[in-house]
Amino acid sequence: MASSAGAVSCLAALVLLLLAASTASAAEKETRLRVYWHDVVSGGPNATVAQGPSSNASATGFGTVFVIDDPLTEGPNLTGSKLLGRAQGVYISAGKDTLSLLMAMNFVFVDGAYNGSSIAIVGPNPTDLAVREIPVVGGTGVFRFARGYCQARTRWFDATVEYNVHLRHD
């Protein structure tokens, strides 16, 4: 009799745990969005990158730090697309033998449904791959408690990169 009471208690606890998990996931939202990041490094009036000196003369620029405040647009054309936000943060040339970047940036939205919200993107960006997956580790505003990933595809160098972002958030 004691063992059946214990089994009932375990079953009741399991049911409560499952109910709590389903309630939490039911309140969670899923968002997918696409933005184009324009990392203009060549100078001129649209330059959006400050570059620190590299630590050595490696072919990959190992150790070079780039500080960014880059436009995020609705389409791939920098001048003909609607500005949705800014990519603000840093990336570092972290690969000694291949060009691999460590990205630490926020996509800060300045227009539309996501105005005033942001997502935090932190992780490796191995640029020799056609599609790179980078983690989304947080967010603010509409994207509070965001987690997920983005897929980056370079459209052309000097650089327009398509970011397809997949998020779960409150």
Side-chain angles (χ1 to χ4, degrees):
M1 181 103 155
S3 67
S4 76
V8 169
S9 293
C10 285
L11 183 59
L14 180 61
V15 168
L16 288 174
L17 184 63
L18 289 173
L19 282 173
S22 68
T23 302
S25 65
E28 189 173 70
K29 297 177 186 86
E30 195 165 313
T31 301
R32 296 178 191 268
L33 55 105
R34 176 181 300 151
V35 296
Y36 292 85
W37 177 55
H38 302 278
D39 192 39
V40 181
V41 296
S42 64
N46 291 322
T48 54
V49 175
Q51 179 178 346
S54 61
S55 61
N56 64 24
S58 77
T60 65
F62 178 74
T64 304
V65 176
F66 300 87
V67 179
I68 59 168
D69 185 2
D70 294 332
L72 297 170
T73 63
E74 191 171 61
N77 185 325
L78 175 58
T79 57
S81 297
K82 180 179 178 181
L83 180 71
L84 298 176
R86 310 286 304 177
Q88 298 172 332
V90 298
Y91 62 90
I92 302 163
S93 182
K96 283 182 157 182
D97 300 320
T98 61
L99 183 56
S100 182
L101 306 172
L102 168 63
M103 311 298 289
M105 63 183 171
N106 294 312
F107 283 4
V108 180
F109 295 94
V110 298
D111 197 15
Y114 309 129
N115 185 23
S117 300
S118 68
I119 58 173
I121 298 167
V122 180
N125 183 356
T127 61
D128 58 338
L129 299 178
V131 179
R132 286 96 58 206
E133 192 169 289
I134 308 168
V136 174
V137 298
T140 65
V142 172
F143 301 122
R144 188 172 293 124
F145 294 115
R147 65 193 184 289
Y149 66 97
C150 50
Q151 293 177 320
R153 291 173 178 82
T154 301
R155 304 275 284 197
W156 50 83
F157 191 73
D158 195 18
T160 298
V161 181
E162 176 183 336
Y163 275 82
N164 288 294
V165 183
H166 306 265
L167 300 171
R168 290 191 178 158
H169 55 92
D170 279 356

